[in-house]
Amino acid sequence: MKVRLGPVERLFPMPCVLVVGGSIDEADVLTAAWVNVVSSTPPTIVMGLRKTRHTLELMTRQGDFTVNVPDTELAAQVDYCGIVSGRTEDKFAATGLTLIPATLVNAPLIKECPYNIECRITQQVEVGEYVVVFGEIVECHADRRVLRKGTTLAEMDELDPLIYCAGVREYRGLGPKLHDAYKIGNRFRKEKLDE
Amino acid sequence: MKVRLGPVERLFPMPCVLVVGGSIDEADVLTAAWVNVVSSTPPTIVMGLRKTRHTLELMTRQGDFTVNVPDTELAAQVDYCGIVSGRTEDKFAATGLTLIPATLVNAPLIKECPYNIECRITQQVEVGEYVVVFGEIVECHADRRVLRKGTTLAEMDELDPLIYCAGVREYRGLGPKLHDAYKIGNRFRKEKLDE
């Protein structure tokens, strides 16, 4: 039995990342759940941000930003960064989050986040009170401890990314691994063809 | 210790949804992880799709699509829909997924998915071999059993949304609730102010 809910802006689940704009001397950070990859040629992230955000001002002025994936241990700091404005409070002083230089963009990385993405803004598209920022991914970093040995693959149980659940407004982590993608579907297909 | 990974198209975690284009008589479905909300005015979803996708052809011809959120029980069917092309295989016959009419758009919903979103395409932006489709959310539906009583809020333990983890290519579900968003950050802020 389906219930009509009206046009609500929810999808399940959402990531929950810290986006940094500005320079290491004058940076601000915001919390974003409306963000994802959209292309691999070139690797590109999009993000929907309210036009009035202070961090967006810094991002646009400079033409770059970083996306920093926090683990579940950072939930309080991440939530705080989503609640207050960098115009009135120094979020780095309050949270103790540490800025370190990126390699290819001017916007710094957050050291405490185990996965970091450097982006250059390629375009911005207005949607109502929001702007959709397109950022080309130019470099990524991870803490060595979260990487599968000898690869650039992040192990999920080590990365432990924070997850946002819209509507009920919950923070969660990942559950255990259930299946291998690109394998379980092939097995399903073979079983169907054998029927 | 940070390790440089190069410009890889990964963010953690990603949703994993079934996107339907076409009509109830001629529909196709694809699996998408590169999708998220980007605006609430109007409520808008964006999605990055390879230009050659058959479902995209149907979506573009008709100007609408639906996003259907599967639970973890549907992982094999979802993975299958991401591996094969609707040009050569009938994905609905193979998976047993049932199409039911939407209310405001022509593209149908998938009954077995506990959460469904109806979208009208508002614009498309090319990024390399991909197109970023902007869809205005015009209606949403959920199975009554996943809703918090008397509200339009989906309970996460009931919805049990499928999650895709890029790189390691894993399907996972949500872990248990850790914190309330907009509360833990306020508590953190008060503690800081009291220091």
Side-chain angles (χ1 to χ4, degrees), chain A residues 2-6 33 36 41 79 89 113 116 128 139-140 142-143 157 169 171-173 175 178-179 181 185 189, chain B residues 1-6 33 36 41 79 89 113 116 128 139-140 142-143 157 169 171-173 175 178 181 185 189:
Chain A
K2 298 277 180 195
V3 179
R4 279 177 78 162
L5 308 176
N36 206 338
T41 59
D79 198 44
E89 293 187 35
C113 291
N116 319 85
E139 185 58 274
C140 300
D143 289 355
D157 291 326
R169 295 184 162 193
Y171 290 118
R172 294 191 175 220
L178 300 174
H179 306 285
R189 182 164 180 263
Chain B
M1 172 68 186
K2 299 277 180 194
V3 180
R4 280 178 78 162
L5 308 176
N36 207 338
T41 59
D79 198 44
E89 294 187 34
C113 291
N116 319 84
E139 185 59 276
C140 300
D143 290 355
D157 291 326
R169 296 185 160 193
Y171 290 119
R172 294 192 175 220
L178 300 174
R189 182 164 179 264

Side-chain angles (χ1 to χ4, degrees), chain B residues 34-84:
Chain B
W34 292 357
V35 52
N36 207 338
V37 168
V38 290
S39 170
S40 59
T41 59
T44 301
I45 272 180
V46 302
M47 183 170 32
L49 296 177
R50 199 174 272 274
K51 282 181 196 169
T52 51
R53 300 300 295 263
H54 180 240
T55 303
L56 176 61
E57 216 176 287
L58 298 174
M59 288 165 55
T60 303
R61 196 188 304 164
Q62 194 168 273
D64 62 35
F65 61 92
T66 66
V67 172
N68 302 272
V69 179
D71 59 26
T72 60
E73 293 289 314
L74 291 169
Q77 289 91 329
V78 170
D79 198 44
Y80 166 84
C81 289
I83 287 171
V84 304

